[in-house]
Amino acid sequence: MKVTVLYGGQSAEHDISILSAHNIISSLIRSEYQVDPVYITREGSWLKGKEINDFIEDSNELKLSLEDDNVSPIDINQLVEEKNIVFPALHGPNGEDGTIQGFLEVLNLPYVGCGVAASANGMDKIVSKQLFSQADLPQLPYVAFTEHDWKHEQQELIQQCEGSLLYPLFVKPANMGSSVGISRVENEAELINAVDEALKYDRRIVVEQGITADECEVAVLGNSDINLSVVGRLVKTSEFYDYDEKYINNQVEMEIPANLAPEVATRIQEYAHRAYKAIDGAGLARVDFFVTSNNDIYINEINTMPGFTEFSMYPVLWQETGINERDLIEELIQLGLRRYETKQGFEAE
Ligand SMILES: Nc1ncnc2c1ncn2[C@@H]1O[C@H](COP(=O)(O)OP(=O)(O)O)[C@@H](O)[C@H]1O
Ligand SMILES: [Mg+2]
């Protein structure tokens, strides 16, 4: 069987996507799948490379170019006719946010992972907070507003932030990822700068209560039968991780399973389960939490296409839970196919 792996993309997570794809392709090859690589360049061209049947040593080989042999612009008709299942190994905007998923739905292709709504809602920090709150999940207090609000009632919004939250605060664009556009601020002047910075990335903003806490993560796998991994913890070396620290320099150490009281770990898993259901997750997601020294738990976010490199939390959590990468990849493919078949079973009208 053949799998089309989509990777690269125009988001800030281009490089990590290539590393995820490299690891995913290795697992697929190990499971005796053939792979059609489709690379989305930083400029937004979609390039199809020649079929992969063997391990690739260097992930740089996945950076396809029209100058290479056997690389051509993608042919949508061919994609539709072949009907391979697609693994969108893309993170961040235009990958993890429902847009690619919508494109694949329109082409009527099976794909791995969350559907359109789950991807969009999981990506949007304001919508996901609203869904989490409906699901009674504990989260940090926050203030959300639009660029328009900020232009017209900046003073009121600052008062609202300062009245309901305590510095330090975290300012975030509603739709991004990889800490892009996110700032930690300690006073009003920094808050104003941070909002202006975040507005470069989105027209909707979240200002959130800052907290000193551990960051713990759970991997979720399944469609209706939902499986949860053990809890992992990021061993922190700084106040918050920026893109380079998190992904490029591999500065983040993981403690798996996290050294937590069993009832705390169970509660985190239960919250992860609820969060996944709240967004109507399918296939996979990683759910991230803050855990304070007195074991207060707050959900931070859900990632519907978490990093998938060999060092990434998601596959490593499963490894430590007893599912190796080969079985994990196999299960993700099967979940995608089953979801597709279920959808085919519904009447169009
Ligand atoms: N409210 C907060 N209190 C403390 N640290 C935070 C808070 N919000 C975010 N951070 C830090 O910033 C990082 C990135 O924020 P996050 O909301 O996870 O955005 P992204 O979608 O970019 O991963 C987190 O992993 C954490 O280290
Ligand atoms: Mg995060």
Side-chain angles (χ1 to χ4, degrees):
M1 218 180 99
K2 226 189 217 185
V3 179
T4 296
V5 178
L6 257 181
Y7 60 93
Q10 288 185 281
S11 84
E13 286 153 290
H14 183 97
D15 291 333
I16 185 87
S17 164
I18 293 171
L19 297 177
S20 290
H22 187 219
N23 186 41
I24 288 164
I25 291 170
S26 301
S27 299
L28 287 167
I29 295 295
R30 222 169 274 134
S31 297
E32 290 169 10
Y33 286 95
Q34 294 171 322
V35 174
D36 270 345
V38 175
Y39 173 53
I40 306 174
T41 67
R42 285 186 189 281
E43 292 71 38
S45 306
W46 292 45
L47 304 180
K48 187 176 170 194
K50 71 163 188 285
E51 187 181 289
I52 302 175
N53 294 303
D54 207 352
F55 293 101
I56 289 179
E57 282 294 305
D58 183 351
S59 64
N60 283 314
E61 287 179 38
L62 291 172
K63 294 185 183 173
L64 307 178
S65 141
L66 277 178
E67 268 111 74
D68 306 340
D69 289 344
N70 299 309
V71 173
S72 54
I74 195 171
D75 176 348
I76 300 286
N77 292 318
Q78 196 190 347
L79 210 62
V80 170
E81 276 159 29
E82 286 176 342
K83 243 192 189 10
N84 293 340
I85 181 163
V86 178
F87 198 128
L90 296 159
H91 314 297
N94 290 325
E96 197 177 339
D97 62 354
T99 51
I100 286 286
Q101 289 74 14
F103 174 67
L104 298 171
E105 291 281 349
V106 170
L107 299 182
N108 197 27
L109 293 175
Y111 58 91
V112 170
C114 286
V116 176
S119 304
N121 294 337
M123 180 68 144
D124 190 302
K125 292 192 195 308
I126 299 175
V127 176
S128 56
K129 281 181 197 304
Q130 289 164 345
L131 293 173
F132 294 158
S133 125
Q134 268 183 23
D136 268 328
L137 290 163
Q139 49 189 339
L140 295 167
Y142 67 96
V143 174
F145 51 87
T146 63
E147 178 164 34
H148 183 269
D149 300 338
W150 182 248
K151 252 194 207 136
H152 296 277
E153 353 165 338
Q154 183 169 323
Q155 271 319 310
E156 289 85 337
L157 287 171
I158 292 170
Q159 272 167 21
Q160 201 185 329
C161 291
E162 293 185 338
S164 58
L165 311 170
L166 283 171
Y167 289 110
L169 307 178
F170 277 76
V171 180
K172 310 178 181 183
N175 282 277
M176 263 323 272
S178 307
S179 304
V180 173
I182 298 186
S183 316
R184 177 184 185 276
V185 301
E186 298 198 341
N187 55 52
E188 182 176 333
E190 287 180 7
L191 172 63
I192 293 170
N193 286 334
V195 171
D196 290 335
E197 175 64 21
L199 282 171
K200 291 182 189 162
Y201 300 96
D202 198 0
R203 21 172 299 278
R204 287 154 66 252
I205 303 294
V206 187
V207 178
E208 199 176 280
Q209 178 62 62
I211 192 172
T212 303
D214 278 342
E215 291 182 60
C216 291
E217 311 191 330
V218 181
V220 189
L221 177 67
N223 291 342
S224 358
D225 280 329
I226 297 170
N227 302 287
L228 301 156
S229 74
V230 295
V231 181
R233 185 174 74 91
L234 300 175
V235 183
K236 285 215 198 187
T237 48
S238 66
E239 294 212 68
F240 95 98
Y241 295 112
D242 66 16
Y243 185 78
D244 282 2
E245 283 172 89
K246 239 185 193 162
Y247 303 111
I248 307 299
N249 305 333
N250 250 322
Q251 277 179 17
V252 183
E253 248 178 76
M254 298 180 287
E255 176 188 85
I256 306 176
N259 181 17
L260 294 165
E263 64 273 16
V264 177
T266 305
R267 197 141 46 94
I268 292 173
Q269 287 172 317
E270 198 265 308
Y271 288 160
H273 186 192
R274 243 196 273 169
Y276 194 70
K277 284 193 82 167
I279 66 155
D280 189 31
L284 77 163
R286 195 193 71 222
V287 191
D288 299 351
F289 296 89
F290 295 118
V291 182
T292 67
S293 53
N294 34 0
N295 289 332
D296 291 329
I297 304 166
Y298 302 94
I299 188 165
N300 176 29
E301 61 163 346
I302 186 162
N303 295 283
T304 53
M305 190 49 75
F308 219 110
T309 76
E310 59 185 313
F311 309 110
S312 296
M313 191 62 124
Y314 186 85
V316 179
L317 279 172
W318 282 120
Q319 193 85 50
E320 300 296 318
T321 308
I323 301 183
N324 66 35
E325 272 207 53
R326 203 175 140 156
D327 294 343
L328 176 60
I329 225 83
E330 184 66 45
E331 182 62 12
L332 287 169
I333 301 286
Q334 292 309 321
L335 288 167
L337 289 172
R338 252 179 271 151
R339 194 161 168 279
Y340 177 76
E341 279 154 23
T342 307
K343 201 189 127 208
Q344 299 305 301
F346 294 121
E347 303 281 338
E349 297 278 328

